[in-house]
Amino acid sequence: MNEMVDMMVEFGGMGLANPVFTASGTCGYADELAEFMDVNALGGFVTKSVTLKPRKGNLRPRIVETNAGMLNAIGLANVGLEKFIEEKLPVLRGRSAAVFVNVAGERIEEYVAVVERLANEEPIAGFELNISCPNVKRGGITFGTDAGQVKEITSAVKKASGGKCLMVKLTPNVTDISVTAKAAVEGGADALSLVNTFTAMVIDIESRKCVLANRTGGLSGPAIRPIAVYMVNKVYTEVAKDAGVPILGGGGIRTASDAIEFMIAGASAVSVGTASFIEPGCAVKIIEGIKKYCERHDISKVSELVGTLK
Amino acid sequence: MNEMVDMMVEFGGMGLANPVFTASGTCGYADELAEFMDVNALGGFVTKSVTLKPRKGNLRPRIVETNAGMLNAIGLANVGLEKFIEEKLPVLRGRSAAVFVNVAGERIEEYVAVVERLANEEPIAGFELNISCPNVKRGGITFGTDAGQVKEITSAVKKASGGKCLMVKLTPNVTDISVTAKAAVEGGADALSLVNTFTAMVIDIESRKCVLANRTGGLSGPAIRPIAVYMVNKVYTEVAKDAGVPILGGGGIRTASDAIEFMIAGASAVSVGTASFIEPGCAVKIIEGIKKYCERHDISKVSELVGTLK
Amino acid sequence: MTEQAAKTKGKFSASVSFNRQIKPRYWRLGLEFSGEGAVAFGGTRPGQFAELDLSGAAVPAEKAIPEDLRDAAKREVLLRRPFSFAKVESKKGKTHVDILYCVLGPATLRMTTLGHGDVVSVIGPLGNGYKAAEGEKRAILVAGGMGAPPMQHMAQELTAEYPTMDVIAFGGAKSVDDLPFETRPDQILKELGFYLREFAEYGIQSMVATDDGSAGFAGTVTDCLADWLGRNEVNANETVIYACGPEQMLAAVAEIAKERHIDCQVSMERLMACGIGVCQSCVVECKCDGDTEYKLCCKDGPVFDAKEVVF
Amino acid sequence: MTEQAAKTKGKFSASVSFNRQIKPRYWRLGLEFSGEGAVAFGGTRPGQFAELDLSGAAVPAEKAIPEDLRDAAKREVLLRRPFSFAKVESKKGKTHVDILYCVLGPATLRMTTLGHGDVVSVIGPLGNGYKAAEGEKRAILVAGGMGAPPMQHMAQELTAEYPTMDVIAFGGAKSVDDLPFETRPDQILKELGFYLREFAEYGIQSMVATDDGSAGFAGTVTDCLADWLGRNEVNANETVIYACGPEQMLAAVAEIAKERHIDCQVSMERLMACGIGVCQSCVVECKCDGDTEYKLCCKDGPVFDAKEVVF
Ligand SMILES: Cc1cc2nc3c(=O)[nH]c(=O)nc-3n(C[C@H](O)[C@H](O)[C@H](O)COP(=O)(O)OP(=O)(O)OC[C@H]3O[C@@H](n4cnc5c(N)ncnc54)[C@H](O)[C@@H]3O)c2cc1C
Ligand SMILES: Cc1cc2nc3c(=O)[nH]c(=O)nc-3n(C[C@H](O)[C@H](O)[C@H](O)COP(=O)(O)OP(=O)(O)OC[C@H]3O[C@@H](n4cnc5c(N)ncnc54)[C@H](O)[C@@H]3O)c2cc1C
Ligand SMILES: Cc1cc2nc3c(=O)[nH]c(=O)nc-3n(C[C@H](O)[C@H](O)[C@H](O)COP(=O)(O)O)c2cc1C
Ligand SMILES: Cc1cc2nc3c(=O)[nH]c(=O)nc-3n(C[C@H](O)[C@H](O)[C@H](O)COP(=O)(O)O)c2cc1C
Ligand code: FES
Ligand code: FES
């Protein structure tokens, strides 16, 4: 690879080796992927959602394929905070990619408790708040669809984060994503991550039942990419650019071209999710592809691409 | 075909020969499709959006393909109300499918004017209100995302519709589609139509420009189907079922199986849009496929399928 | 094979008779129609086109995909793709059509994996085609880049229908490798003026132009045309120019034709979702009573009178 | 062919050596690996599986698609699909694997169009596989429906590794046409007990059961097994049952094994998004200290001790 392209990006107060992340819940804790790519070549790595208590997750089936996409309803299955610290953090310690811990919960206090406990742990570079979970206190409406709640949870967690980068992951299931993005920024978010999955449903017409045990699931994959690109561009132009807050953009990224599309739309970095299931090494291939594109277009710093949509 | 399956469905006060419609803007004025299918076999036909004044529509490119979908930004190109009456209505008169005129505008008065003028015209069975257009009076926010406006426009048009069936076409670009569905029902909607397209964007990474001249477009096609099925089921269970208002469900329907999925989710009838571009005769094939499914499952009336999701 | 009774267009199944690579990026595909498809496509006019469903064709193996198309290869194909014809022949109840295509993206990549006997779903023939050359004494064919196929088809028609007509063809491209003709540069018969085999087989003279001068005239195909018109006497009233190629080139040809008062028909390209006039995606801005209006490339075109188009 | 240096699993390209239809809905696909793929797949254990990317394979022509799969054929394929192996052979630096598959949906439909020389992207070998039969004297293989492939693979391994072991196989299906074996009913050698060629080639006796009695024992494969166990003396301590098939059948086999205190390993199937343990989609509920926990079918399985699984 040509060393002339500077692949470094500034992101929420830190410098990343390159702009490519793996997305929460799609790449385990990185060691599973070591067989397929050089995990240390990644710019960033986001863990599966961690909750205060362990969660077994939903009944199965938990996934179903759709046209150019898939639904998942894993149900935030994870080992819980304590076991995460014991078992998973050590594995992540050897990695050179910036590690973001994705945090989820059903009450604000749960989010705060998790972040507080992790605020001083190595090698955590920051947190990604998954606010697409149902807020049990407010009748199951997700935190992420209500600007007031987004601001409240962001600022509560911000106080607990010990100066680590706080990234808020926005749900696309809203009328105007700029409104929730703005609320997150007002709450003190250091970065925005978008998009999470779209609520969706697949019915088995023979049994007339939902395929997923959870009935609904989140749609991810190439199918959603054009909506995600639109939302990233909207948040970039309406909120993030002026606020100086970087965006981690994703949704259906499968190739370097897809990643570059998000960067042009306004993402400082990109996340690769579902595509890793099909090509477990694709995140690293995407890094190489972005580099080649920059070389071909005489772009000396990859960050020059960000938000350059004409 | 086995005549034992009763394909009739009750829809907004009328009986339709079967539950399959072609979607607005995807089947011209039916004569273009006569070469590919028996247009009279359709249950319903929705015209391209008609506006008070003729509209040339957007600059090109107006479409772009995406994964399992496409964006369009046609810009409501149409001949306008008067020419529609002169040139297009006569063509539709010979058709046995129930004709719904899709109506669009930028101010409530425009919608009312169009509907008023058409209220006594044959062979119009009803109207489909396209409220996904930007409301110029309210700063370009689309009518369809605000419950108050949905109710207001629905009741204003209802008064002008001379007793013809008024169907309100909901946009999926909202946090909670039941809220706008409820508003439409409160405004007097006789039927609900969902979903319209999702706002989306495709960027040409070589030129760093949006592919569409309009920058954004509406995503349609198989990619959106699982989201559309979810929304139809949500509106059915939360609003339409109790209100006794039928749903015209669609978004990515390509086969009879897809159509049946929407009916099980709660749609009394289904609309076929983008798929007609690929298989211009597919709407009629879908009717046959639904019939075969009913035979195989010993369903004597297709309407028995509606809302039977377990 | 067909879905309905006798008709001039429709959806038909075609069987692949051959599919061969003629240049790094160019292929020629032979399709055979029988039954009603043979009847419908037997009546195809040059400039008309068909919509092919390539969504179900296999993606080539990774190493067979040019590097610049690796990412595009991952895109799904949903919509049909429009292609015009390079040749149409009916015999013994079958109609054979040749499609000359350039590998540009996911659909044309998939197209390369079609093999003998494979079945392709085809809608057509669509659009208007070039108007007949009734009453003209001379026809000038101008093909820029992938504008070549309908010009080859036109050569076939003119020779069959107007054997006494004086026809000359111009074919241009950026470089010799981009010339969508099977003729290799070393096969070009400069002396006789029959540069391209595709036209020579109909006894039609042809001129080759490449922007970089790697074959034939050094310059654009329109420069080449202008040059030739400057050196030859042409009776404008009895001459017609048929052109197909990139929009810029068509604009230049239209300009040349206008200056010399020669009739000119151009075939336009647009992104098409339906190809049959229902989606309104393929608009071409046309002059109309001092104002402009949008016509549909797929239905009102793809061939337009050059004077009518707003380039 | 490989992406990285020497490893026991990974992403490899395989070349199709054959792909033949053995029953209306069943096909057998041969894949050849060379280089590092040959090394990695050379070590495959019965019960392990591979994830195949079939998204780029061609959709069969419409008339080759069974009517009940016409709508499914229109679905795009995004995710890889898991398949176990019916046979694995390494020679001359190449590894040949046989996949026996049932045409059920969009991916397996596309799989039928693969032809000699086509390249397929394969991730594997994945999962744990059946535990070796070390110390056992008798092995009972029970295959229900599409559970057949790993049982054929197991037959191959047992014969090679434990030539003195007493092995018997049971193969069942709804009806004779659903038996995923190439053996035709008229080829079944009732007299000798070598009913199925796929097992006979290893000198292994086999019994056939069909629910409708159209071939062999009339009843489920588990009824057949129970019947046989009732009629034969088996030393539970020195016997192991290997089973693969639908979950209900595995539950019944587990029950039989439990009653008779015979060790039993079952191979489970789950919808899998990744196959490599990162997505958590493929959970299998397992007993654990009086409680239950979810294990991953792709990583902790697909083979589980029958006692461990909550059916
Ligand atoms: C009436 C008509 C006749 C045609 N005849 C031929 C022919 O005979 N041979 C041939 O090779 N091609 C022909 N084309 C163009 C052909 O349809 C496209 O090359 C094809 O659709 C590309 O599909 P793809 O998926 O491979 O690439 P895509 O990814 O769809 O396109 C690759 C590139 O080509 C551009 N492009 C695609 N379609 C068009 C278009 N219609 N106009 C301008 N740019 C476009 C895209 O913007 C993109 O940059 C014709 C087009 C029309 C409208
Ligand atoms: C470890 C493992 C090994 C397998 N080995 C083989 C094999 O050797 N031969 C073979 O033919 N198949 C095997 N399968 C099943 C095979 O993966 C599916 O049949 C295939 O994915 C179907 O894909 P499709 O697109 O054709 O059909 P789809 O439309 O994806 O599926 C068709 C039908 O099968 C059901 N189905 C799909 N996958 C599964 C699954 N994993 N478990 C239960 N039901 C399912 C679907 O719900 C649907 O009803 C195996 C599965 C696993 C998990
Ligand atoms: C199987 C699966 C599990 C996921 N788990 C999580 C999760 O635990 N927390 C979270 O914030 N997002 C989760 N996501 C969402 C992804 O991180 C990503 O935002 C989304 O899938 C869109 O990107 P993609 O289209 O590239 O997959 C999950 C997605 C998938 C497919
Ligand atoms: C090219 C195109 C033009 C459309 N024009 C209109 C329109 O004029 N009015 C309208 O209400 N919907 C219009 N739609 C939306 C469709 O009617 C339909 O709601 C949407 O495409 C989703 O269904 P589908 O996925 O089956 O296409 C258009 C869609 C397409 C693809
Ligand atoms: S391509 Fe649809 S109208 Fe021309
Ligand atoms: S299939 Fe992804 S964890 Fe098992």
Side-chain angles (χ1 to χ4, degrees):
Chain A
M1 273 178 275
N2 187 330
E3 290 308 318
M4 273 164 51
V5 180
D6 178 0
M7 291 292 281
M8 277 270 280
V9 287
E10 278 292 320
F11 193 86
M14 71 192 90
L16 303 176
N18 65 68
V20 180
F21 282 65
T22 50
S24 176
T26 64
C27 291
Y29 296 96
D31 45 331
E32 294 91 342
L33 290 175
E35 223 106 11
F36 301 96
M37 66 177 179
D38 176 8
V39 180
N40 291 320
L42 291 172
F45 178 88
V46 186
T47 68
K48 172 88 195 151
S49 283
V50 174
T51 53
L52 192 56
K53 299 266 166 273
R55 288 176 60 107
K56 285 176 76 173
N58 292 327
L59 293 177
R60 68 180 178 90
R62 292 176 166 192
I63 58 144
V64 57
E65 190 183 56
T66 67
N67 285 290
M70 63 174 282
L71 306 195
N72 87 80
I74 306 297
L76 303 176
N78 80 99
V79 294
L81 177 62
E82 290 311 322
K83 254 197 160 166
F84 170 77
I85 295 172
E86 263 169 57
E87 291 175 10
K88 307 298 181 184
L89 263 191
V91 179
L92 291 166
R93 238 161 240 146
R95 303 292 175 198
S96 61
V99 173
F100 281 75
V101 177
N102 181 297
V103 181
E106 291 171 347
R107 284 170 299 125
I108 293 187
E109 305 85 80
E110 281 173 44
Y111 284 89
V112 172
V114 174
V115 170
E116 220 158 38
R117 176 74 179 79
L118 294 172
N120 299 311
E121 291 292 335
E122 283 306 319
I124 301 171
F127 302 99
E128 182 180 58
L129 281 204
N130 176 0
I131 52 173
S132 308
C133 327
N135 179 348
V136 285
K137 256 202 186 156
R138 309 252 172 121
I141 290 192
T142 62
F143 288 103
T145 56
D146 181 274
Q149 290 193 51
V150 171
K151 189 171 168 183
E152 193 183 334
I153 196 169
T154 308
S155 61
V157 172
K158 176 74 182 174
K159 286 187 202 105
S161 60
K164 285 193 165 153
C165 177
L166 179 60
M167 173 153 72
V168 177
K169 185 167 185 181
L170 303 173
T171 168
N173 299 300
V174 292
T175 306
D176 184 351
I177 196 164
S178 288
V179 174
T180 42
K182 196 147 178 277
V185 170
E186 284 169 4
D190 301 305
L192 298 170
S193 166
L194 58 152
V195 298
N196 212 319
T197 55
F198 289 77
T199 309
M201 178 184 276
V202 172
I203 297 170
D204 175 350
I205 64 168
E206 298 303 316
S207 66
R208 298 200 213 166
K209 287 187 195 154
C210 292
V211 171
L212 298 180
N214 189 50
R215 300 181 71 88
T216 63
L219 178 64
S220 64
I224 67 170
R225 203 178 79 232
I227 318 183
V229 168
Y230 162 68
M231 289 184 169
V232 165
N233 184 247
K234 185 170 160 65
V235 168
Y236 178 73
T237 52
E238 296 178 4
V239 182
K241 191 182 175 187
D242 285 344
V245 168
I247 295 173
L248 174 62
I253 294 178
R254 184 149 60 164
T255 64
S257 302
D258 300 343
I260 292 159
E261 194 181 1
F262 274 91
M263 294 189 73
I264 293 171
S268 295
V270 294
S271 76
V272 180
T274 304
S276 293
F277 300 157
I278 303 137
E279 295 294 335
C282 77
V284 168
K285 277 198 187 156
I286 287 172
I287 299 170
E288 288 160 28
I290 297 174
K291 213 168 195 168
K292 279 197 188 131
Y293 171 92
C294 289
E295 283 166 13
R296 195 155 46 79
H297 286 259
D298 253 330
I299 294 168
S300 55
K301 286 170 66 71
V302 70
S303 56
E304 284 168 17
L305 268 177
V306 179
T308 53
L309 179 64
K310 285 173 198 159
Chain B
M1 272 178 276
N2 187 331
E3 289 307 318
M4 274 163 51
V5 180
D6 179 0
M7 290 292 282
M8 279 269 282
V9 288
E10 279 292 322
F11 194 86
M14 72 191 87
L16 303 176
N18 65 67
V20 179
F21 283 63
T22 49
S24 177
T26 64
C27 290
Y29 296 96
D31 46 331
E32 293 92 341
L33 290 176
E35 224 108 10
F36 301 96
M37 67 178 177
D38 176 8
V39 179
N40 291 319
L42 291 172
F45 178 86
V46 187
T47 69
K48 172 87 196 155
S49 284
V50 174
T51 52
L52 192 56
K53 301 266 167 273
R55 287 174 60 107
K56 287 175 76 174
N58 292 329
L59 293 178
R60 69 181 176 88
R62 291 176 166 192
I63 57 144
V64 58
E65 190 182 56
T66 67
N67 285 292
M70 62 174 282
L71 306 195
N72 88 80
I74 306 297
L76 303 176
N78 80 101
V79 294
L81 178 62
E82 290 311 322
K83 254 196 161 166
F84 171 76
I85 295 172
E86 263 170 57
E87 291 175 11
K88 306 298 182 187
L89 264 191
V91 179
L92 291 167
R93 240 162 237 147
R95 301 291 175 202
S96 60
V99 173
F100 281 74
V101 177
N102 181 296
V103 181
E106 289 172 348
R107 282 167 303 123
I108 292 187
E109 304 87 77
E110 282 174 41
Y111 284 89
V112 171
V114 173
V115 170
E116 219 158 39
R117 177 73 180 79
L118 293 171
N120 299 312
E121 291 291 338
E122 283 305 319
I124 300 170
F127 301 99
E128 182 181 59
L129 282 203
N130 177 358
I131 52 171
S132 308
C133 327
N135 179 349
V136 284
K137 255 201 184 157
R138 309 251 172 121
I141 288 192
T142 63
F143 289 104
T145 56
D146 179 275
Q149 291 193 50
V150 171
K151 188 171 170 185
E152 193 184 336
I153 196 169
T154 307
S155 62
V157 171
K158 176 73 181 174
K159 288 188 200 103
S161 61
K164 284 190 165 156
C165 176
L166 179 61
M167 173 153 73
V168 176
K169 186 168 186 180
L170 303 174
T171 168
N173 299 300
V174 291
T175 306
D176 184 351
I177 196 164
S178 289
V179 174
T180 44
K182 195 144 179 276
V185 169
E186 285 169 4
D190 301 305
L192 298 169
S193 167
L194 57 152
V195 299
N196 213 321
T197 54
F198 289 77
T199 310
M201 179 184 276
V202 172
I203 297 169
D204 175 349
I205 64 168
E206 297 303 316
S207 65
R208 298 199 214 168
K209 286 187 196 156
C210 292
V211 171
L212 298 180
N214 189 51
R215 300 182 71 88
T216 64
L219 178 64
S220 64
I224 67 171
R225 203 178 79 232
I227 318 183
V229 167
Y230 162 69
M231 289 185 169
V232 165
N233 185 248
K234 184 170 161 66
V235 169
Y236 178 74
T237 51
E238 296 177 3
V239 182
K241 190 181 177 188
D242 286 344
V245 168
I247 294 173
L248 174 62
I253 294 178
R254 183 150 61 163
T255 65
S257 302
D258 300 344
I260 292 160
E261 193 181 1
F262 274 93
M263 294 189 74
I264 293 170
S268 294
V270 295
S271 75
V272 180
T274 304
S276 293
F277 300 157
I278 303 136
E279 295 294 336
C282 77
V284 168
K285 276 199 188 154
I286 287 172
I287 299 170
E288 289 160 28
I290 297 175
K291 214 169 195 167
K292 279 197 190 132
Y293 171 92
C294 289
E295 284 165 13
R296 195 154 48 78
H297 287 259
D298 253 330
I299 294 168
S300 55
K301 287 169 65 70
V302 71
S303 56
E304 284 168 16
L305 269 177
V306 179
T308 54
L309 179 63
K310 285 170 198 160
Chain C
M1 296 263 166
T2 66
E3 318 263 279
Q4 277 182 24
K7 48 190 174 179
T8 55
K9 70 178 178 197
K11 192 187 119 195
F12 305 98
S13 293
S15 161
V16 172
S17 42
F18 65 84
N19 190 18
R20 72 169 178 266
Q21 191 168 18
I22 62 173
K23 285 280 172 74
R25 288 290 168 105
Y26 294 107
W27 293 62
R28 199 166 172 118
L29 173 76
L31 293 177
E32 181 185 283
F33 294 91
S34 39
E36 294 191 304
V39 177
F41 278 91
T44 308
R45 290 203 45 71
Q48 282 194 296
F49 66 98
E51 286 273 2
L52 271 63
D53 181 357
L54 299 162
S55 63
V59 180
E62 191 160 333
K63 61 170 185 269
I65 301 174
E67 200 179 313
D68 60 315
L69 293 182
R70 294 262 160 97
D71 286 1
K74 297 247 197 283
R75 283 166 41 203
E76 321 265 3
V77 173
L78 177 72
L79 300 170
R80 286 172 183 264
R81 295 293 196 272
F83 294 92
S84 44
F85 308 102
K87 193 181 216 171
V88 176
E89 261 173 342
S90 292
K91 53 185 176 202
K92 298 188 192 154
K94 310 259 185 195
T95 296
H96 297 262
V97 308
D98 281 17
I99 289 175
L100 184 59
Y101 64 100
C102 178
V103 178
L104 281 175
T108 46
L109 266 172
R110 282 165 171 77
M111 206 161 169
T112 62
T113 65
L114 292 173
H116 182 84
D118 283 347
V119 176
V120 183
S121 164
V122 183
I123 290 179
L126 299 168
N128 58 358
Y130 291 95
K131 277 201 285 290
E134 220 66 63
E136 309 286 6
K137 295 232 167 85
R138 187 197 284 274
I140 300 172
L141 312 182
V142 193
M146 270 317 296
M151 292 299 108
Q152 296 181 22
H153 190 187
M154 199 72 206
Q156 184 196 13
E157 154 151 322
L158 292 174
T159 316
E161 303 287 320
Y162 310 96
T164 63
M165 189 178 278
D166 199 350
V167 186
I168 182 166
F170 294 82
K174 286 212 185 86
S175 177
V176 63
D177 279 338
D178 303 315
L179 278 170
F181 299 96
E182 285 186 78
T183 325
R184 290 204 317 271
D186 61 353
Q187 295 173 322
I188 290 178
L189 311 166
K190 289 213 180 170
E191 308 313 318
L192 299 164
F194 292 105
Y195 295 94
L196 297 168
R197 182 151 57 93
E198 283 80 353
F199 294 108
E201 66 170 300
Y202 303 112
I204 291 176
Q205 268 205 331
S206 56
M207 313 272 289
V208 170
T210 51
D211 296 359
D212 65 359
S214 50
F217 181 93
T220 66
V221 69
T222 46
D223 290 343
C224 181
L225 169 67
D227 177 74
W228 183 86
L229 284 170
R231 288 186 291 102
N232 291 269
E233 231 166 82
V234 167
N235 180 344
N237 288 332
E238 297 177 332
T239 301
V240 55
I241 298 177
Y242 298 109
C244 188
E247 194 131 339
Q248 251 191 316
M249 169 225 146
L250 296 180
V253 174
E255 196 52 42
I256 291 170
K258 191 178 161 196
E259 275 167 17
R260 296 172 190 263
H261 308 287
I262 303 174
D263 276 346
C264 177
Q265 296 175 33
V266 294
S267 179
M268 308 287 289
E269 273 199 20
R270 287 293 178 265
L271 287 171
M272 293 181 173
C274 76
I276 58 170
V278 295
C279 77
Q280 308 262 337
S281 63
C282 61
V283 285
V284 174
E285 198 175 8
C286 288
K287 289 167 202 150
C288 163
D289 306 333
D291 198 5
T292 68
E293 64 170 356
Y294 279 140
K295 290 195 172 180
L296 297 179
C297 186
C298 69
K299 208 178 149 188
D300 307 316
V303 178
F304 293 88
D305 188 319
K307 286 196 291 291
E308 178 183 22
V309 179
V310 182
F311 283 104
Chain D
M1 293 261 164
T2 64
E3 319 263 277
Q4 277 183 22
K7 48 191 174 179
T8 56
K9 70 178 177 197
K11 194 186 118 197
F12 305 98
S13 294
S15 160
V16 173
S17 42
F18 65 84
N19 189 18
R20 70 170 179 265
Q21 191 168 18
I22 61 172
K23 285 281 172 76
R25 289 288 167 106
Y26 294 106
W27 292 63
R28 200 167 171 116
L29 173 77
L31 294 176
E32 182 185 284
F33 293 89
S34 38
E36 294 191 306
V39 177
F41 279 91
T44 308
R45 293 205 41 73
Q48 282 194 296
F49 65 98
E51 287 273 2
L52 271 62
D53 181 358
L54 299 162
S55 63
V59 179
E62 192 161 333
K63 63 168 184 273
I65 301 173
E67 201 178 310
D68 61 314
L69 293 182
R70 293 261 160 96
D71 286 2
K74 297 246 197 287
R75 283 166 40 203
E76 321 263 4
V77 173
L78 177 71
L79 301 170
R80 287 172 182 265
R81 294 293 195 273
F83 294 92
S84 43
F85 308 101
K87 194 181 215 170
V88 176
E89 262 172 342
S90 292
K91 52 184 175 201
K92 296 189 193 151
K94 310 258 183 196
T95 297
H96 296 262
V97 308
D98 281 17
I99 288 175
L100 185 58
Y101 65 101
C102 180
V103 178
L104 282 175
T108 45
L109 267 171
R110 282 165 171 78
M111 206 161 167
T112 63
T113 65
L114 293 173
H116 181 85
D118 283 348
V119 175
V120 183
S121 163
V122 182
I123 290 178
L126 299 168
N128 58 358
Y130 290 95
K131 276 199 285 287
E134 219 64 65
E136 310 286 5
K137 294 233 167 85
R138 187 196 283 273
I140 301 172
L141 312 181
V142 193
M146 270 316 296
M151 290 302 108
Q152 295 180 21
H153 190 186
M154 198 71 206
Q156 183 196 13
E157 153 150 321
L158 292 175
T159 316
E161 304 288 318
Y162 310 95
T164 62
M165 189 178 280
D166 199 348
V167 186
I168 181 165
F170 294 82
K174 287 210 185 86
S175 177
V176 62
D177 279 340
D178 303 315
L179 278 170
F181 299 96
E182 283 187 79
T183 324
R184 289 204 318 273
D186 62 353
Q187 295 175 322
I188 291 178
L189 311 167
K190 289 213 181 170
E191 308 314 317
L192 298 166
F194 291 106
Y195 295 94
L196 298 166
R197 184 152 54 94
E198 283 80 353
F199 294 107
E201 68 171 297
Y202 303 111
I204 292 176
Q205 268 206 330
S206 56
M207 314 270 291
V208 170
T210 53
D211 296 0
D212 65 1
S214 52
F217 180 91
T220 65
V221 70
T222 46
D223 291 342
C224 182
L225 169 68
D227 177 76
W228 183 87
L229 284 170
R231 288 187 291 105
N232 291 269
E233 231 166 82
V234 167
N235 181 345
N237 287 333
E238 295 178 334
T239 302
V240 55
I241 298 178
Y242 298 109
C244 187
E247 193 130 343
Q248 250 190 314
M249 170 227 144
L250 296 181
V253 173
E255 196 52 42
I256 291 171
K258 193 178 160 195
E259 275 166 19
R260 295 174 191 262
H261 308 286
I262 303 175
D263 277 347
C264 176
Q265 295 176 34
V266 295
S267 178
M268 309 288 289
E269 273 199 18
R270 286 294 179 263
L271 287 170
M272 293 182 173
C274 75
I276 57 170
V278 295
C279 77
Q280 308 262 337
S281 63
C282 61
V283 285
V284 174
E285 198 176 6
C286 288
K287 290 166 205 153
C288 165
D289 305 331
D291 198 5
T292 67
E293 64 169 357
Y294 279 139
K295 289 196 172 178
L296 297 179
C297 186
C298 70
K299 208 178 150 189
D300 306 316
V303 178
F304 294 87
D305 188 319
K307 287 195 291 290
E308 176 184 28
V309 179
V310 181
F311 285 103

